[in-house]
Amino acid sequence: MSHASSFRALARLLRYAAGYRRRIVAATACSIINKLFDIAPEILIGIAIDVVVNQEQSFVAGLGFVEARDQILVLGVLTFLIWGGESLFEYLYQILWRNLAQRLQSDLRQDAYQHLQRLDMGFFEGNSSGQLVSILNDDVNQLERFLDGGANSLIQVFVTVVAVGAVFVVLSPQIALLAFTPIPIIIWGAFYFQRKAGPVYAEVREKVGELAARLSNNLGGIATIKSFTAEAREAGRLRQASEAYVEANRNAIRISSAFIPVIRMAILLGFLATFILGGLKTLDGSLNVGAYGVLVFLTQRLLWPLTGLAQVIDLFERAMASTRRILDLMRVPVQNDDTGEPLPAPVRGEIRFERLGFHYPASRVGVQDISLTVPAGTTLALVGATGSGKSTLIKLLLRFYQPDRGAIYLDDRRIERLRLSDLRGNIGLVSQEVFLFEGSIRDNIAYGRPEAGVAEVEAAARLAEAWEFIERLPQGLETPVGERGVRLSGGQRQRLSLARALLKDPPVLILDEATSAVDNETEAAIQRSLRHIAHGRTLILIAHRLSTVVQADHIVVIDRGEIAEQGSHAGLLEQNGLYAAQWRVQTGMAD
């Protein structure tokens, strides 16, 4: 990775930040003016020396202030104004750069997150949540740190070189040539460092993501870790990830630390050139003593800040490595956008699968040649072994994935031509893996309709057989559920998930293994709810427990991605095939 890639990342960032152009220009202008004011006192010191030595023949005397005392007073007033101006513009550039950093990092994180939400499920299955959180959090913060101080430092180093160089050329072109000789060495060293540091910092960002992924994974599975008494083993794995991050940073530190000592020696050469040659020229009268003072002081002002260039480039490289990761994430193509035809109301809920085929890229499992019609207002049950393709059909219906071939229709309209929000807004999903958000029970039930009143939330909870346990809780609907609903039992979480889908009141409701991981009481409660839920809507049940699907209008048995059998409960028992065999096993009638 060369320095060119870092500048390409910077160019990409500037294109993204086009809307902040005025703020960037204003902040840059304040940084430049502040640095010009910062250099001015060294020039005034040289002029003051000239006044003390030459008095009526000084530079200031030529401006009309003949008396030495008047000259000193004028320099005092100028010094006050310059220091005041420097302080004012330092305040302004800090306000502007810091607010820009905050605004840009916030917008960048929000835009990246919004883009992330639009990506299909295949992307999330191929990328760990820890890596994504690292990009949205740590990488964005790394860019913010550069904008907070590094951008200003780069600008001011450039302004210092140009402004001080101009003063040197005016006072003594010969000394300017010698004093500026180290600058190409310093710049070459900076770019050399940058070229070496680029790949190292990319590795640092990668290790940060791996560490975040490890932490996220372990905290999410803390109950499993404890149940297997694997605390020591997981601590060891985390130690490995943490040490890998430390080692990556150690390599970066080794490169950045070597930069400053080399640059110091280059700076010393420039300072000695000014100090010795300028002194000799002053002694032989070819250089004004005040000008000599200006050159000595400005040499310090010019060269010593360049030692900080290593830290600035360090910040820059880290920030550009982060910028690449953020903007690369935002460049991942969106397979499903929200453009398309509106879904005409009222939605009847008829669903049709036509010769549908799909395979997951990694495992090559999926479904093939599925043709199936679900009339509006009827109940379809999908049954079959784990991995047979039942849930895949639902993911395709919700457009989590695009089919390889065939089509799906909702009310005789191909779903890929519909607005995604219209499609998903008319389908409710109750999954086996219930996810509850941090907040109250009421917040989670009303997740699909935040504007719903208490009475509507209560009605949905009653329909889902959840109201009885909610009433017993000390805070009722306002009871916090904890992260991922950890304060509730599995059955309680499942009932809240059902209530959440019912409050949405969709014309199509899908229960994907909603009773597979609950107790008998919860299953019985959900079964009672189904009698009311199915009325007036299309219901799709995916179940292992065949007792759940007995009352379904149509039952389809999926085996290895294909329809193996279909019919009513009684008809499938008469066929004496896969469904009948499974029924006998579950009811204890198997031989």
Side-chain angles (χ1 to χ4, degrees), residues 371-504:
S371 294
L372 181 65
T373 299
V374 187
T378 64
T379 298
L380 168 72
L382 298 173
V383 300
T386 300
S388 60
K390 306 183 300 297
S391 295
T392 298
L393 288 176
I394 302 307
K395 292 176 180 177
L396 293 170
L397 173 60
L398 288 165
R399 283 176 59 187
F400 288 166
Y401 298 94
Q402 295 285 359
D404 299 330
R405 57 191 174 277
I408 305 175
Y409 295 83
L410 175 59
D411 287 357
D412 294 321
R413 291 177 179 266
R414 290 185 66 143
I415 62 170
E416 68 268 23
R417 296 175 182 169
L418 297 174
R419 278 202 301 250
L420 196 58
S421 55
D422 281 10
L423 172 68
R424 293 177 182 169
N426 284 283
I427 300 175
L429 174 65
V430 182
S431 177
Q432 175 185 0
E433 298 178 3
V434 178
F435 191 98
L436 298 183
F437 295 89
E438 184 76 35
S440 67
I441 288 177
R442 177 182 174 181
D443 294 336
N444 275 278
I445 294 177
Y447 187 74
R449 284 182 55 205
E451 74 285 355
V454 175
E456 293 175 289
V457 172
E458 181 180 334
R462 288 184 184 278
L463 190 57
E465 299 272 353
W467 185 249
E468 184 179 349
F469 85 79
I470 293 174
E471 263 191 322
R472 293 198 301 266
L473 297 172
Q475 295 174 260
L477 284 172
E478 302 307 319
T479 302
V481 301
E483 187 178 6
R484 294 176 177 262
V486 294
R487 297 179 183 176
L488 303 175
S489 70
Q492 290 172 335
R493 291 197 296 271
Q494 193 64 267
R495 294 188 209 186
L496 291 186
S497 178
L498 181 58
R500 179 165 62 192
L502 292 175
L503 183 61
K504 184 180 176 181

Side-chain angles (χ1 to χ4, degrees), residues 3 9 13 33 46 49 69 85 189 193 258 267 279 334 338 353 384 403 408 419 449 459 523 532 535 537 543 576-577:
H3 58 267
L13 178 62
I33 296 170
I49 293 172
R69 291 179 182 273
F193 159 74
I267 288 170
V334 175
D338 202 25
F353 300 92
I408 305 175
R419 278 202 301 250
R449 284 182 55 205
E523 183 187 13
H532 305 287
H535 182 69
R537 79 176 86 239
N576 198 29

Side-chain angles (χ1 to χ4, degrees), residues 361-375:
S363 62
R364 301 307 301 164
V365 300
V367 294
Q368 52 189 343
D369 202 29
I370 298 287
S371 294
L372 181 65
T373 299
V374 187

Side-chain angles (χ1 to χ4, degrees), residues 225-247:
I225 292 172
K226 287 179 175 295
S227 68
F228 283 90
T229 62
E231 292 91 341
R233 183 166 72 250
E234 291 302 330
R237 294 169 71 181
L238 180 64
R239 188 181 304 110
Q240 288 179 351
S242 184
E243 288 300 321
Y245 174 54
V246 169
E247 183 60 31

Side-chain angles (χ1 to χ4, degrees), residues 13 19 40 43 57 71 92 124 142 169 192 297 344 365 368 409 411 442 473 538 548:
L13 178 62
I43 299 174
Q57 283 76 44
Q71 296 175 32
L92 291 176
F124 294 95
Q142 188 67 54
V169 169
Y192 177 79
F297 285 119
V365 300
Q368 52 189 343
Y409 295 83
D411 287 357
R442 177 182 174 181
L473 297 172
T538 303
T548 308

